[in-house]
Amino acid sequence: METGGFLIRELSIGDYDALVALWDESGLPYKPAGRDARGHIARELEGPSSIFLVAEVDGKLAGAVLGTHDGRKGWINRLSVAPKQRRKGIGRALVRAVEERLAGIGIEIVTCLVETWNETSLAFFEAIGYVRHDDIVYFSKRKGPDV
Ligand SMILES: CC(C)(COP(=O)(O)OP(=O)(O)OC[C@H]1O[C@@H](n2cnc3c(N)ncnc32)[C@H](O)[C@@H]1OP(=O)(O)O)[C@@H](O)C(=O)NCCC(=O)NCCS
């Protein structure tokens, strides 16, 4: 899909190094020894629950999103746009592309967890029509710090 000077396509495992470089450049925390390890991402890509997309500008990775679903809800994970490419609609287009694919398999609710310090991301999700829920507290149980 080519729009506004960028192209949205599926992530392939060959993009992994560029993806990690994008996360670094974006200041996005990730788990290189855990669920963001190359092997883990490769396994997810082969499974039925991942909608991993990237945006390219002039052949270079400019943004990425790891969309997932659990059969009931869709999730936006690891959304990132390279600092020089922000405010051009790439983030919005990546999320829309995940939403469209989820709708195509009958999933009509899309969700995202955003840390409260991340004001840019909070403003972004509100701007693209997501409803904020301050009455929900996130619980997790981890096998280890890298998970
Ligand atoms: C959040 C992020 C993905 C947004 O990507 P983007 O491509 O710049 O977003 P868009 O250009 O599609 O912005 C859509 C709208 O969101 C809002 N928005 C985006 N960035 C904003 C900011 N810094 N401040 C306020 N509003 C913002 C605006 O309303 C914008 O529309 P406009 O540019 O017409 O005003 C990007 O800032 C990013 O990679 N941040 C670092 C990583 C991160 O925090 N990811 C989210 C993890 S939950």
Side-chain angles (χ1 to χ4, degrees), residues 44 47-52 66-77 98 101-102 105-107 109-111:
E44 271 189 277
S49 310
S50 65
I51 302 170
F52 291 3
L66 305 187
T68 55
H69 72 85
D70 53 23
R72 293 170 63 89
K73 286 181 184 162
W75 292 90
I76 302 295
N77 308 277
V98 171
R101 284 164 171 76
L102 288 167
I105 54 170
I107 294 181
I109 172 168
V110 188
T111 52

Side-chain angles (χ1 to χ4, degrees), residues 22 25-26 57 60 62 81-88 90:
L22 175 72
E25 202 188 347
S26 299
V57 174
K60 191 172 180 292
V81 173
K84 284 189 187 142
Q85 303 294 344
R86 289 184 190 165
R87 302 305 287 266
K88 296 180 181 175
I90 294 178

Side-chain angles (χ1 to χ4, degrees), residues 115-116 118-119 122-123 125-126 129-136:
E115 283 142 322
T116 50
N118 195 341
E119 289 178 14
L122 294 174
F125 279 102
E126 286 192 19
Y130 281 64
V131 176
R132 177 175 168 145
H133 298 272
D134 282 324
D135 55 340
I136 294 175

Side-chain angles (χ1 to χ4, degrees), residues 2-9 54-63 81-82 84-86 88 90:
E2 176 95 49
T3 11
F6 56 88
L7 168 89
I8 292 189
R9 63 164 174 82
V54 298
E56 269 184 6
V57 174
D58 298 331
K60 191 172 180 292
L61 227 63
V81 173
K84 284 189 187 142
Q85 303 294 344
R86 289 184 190 165
K88 296 180 181 175
I90 294 178

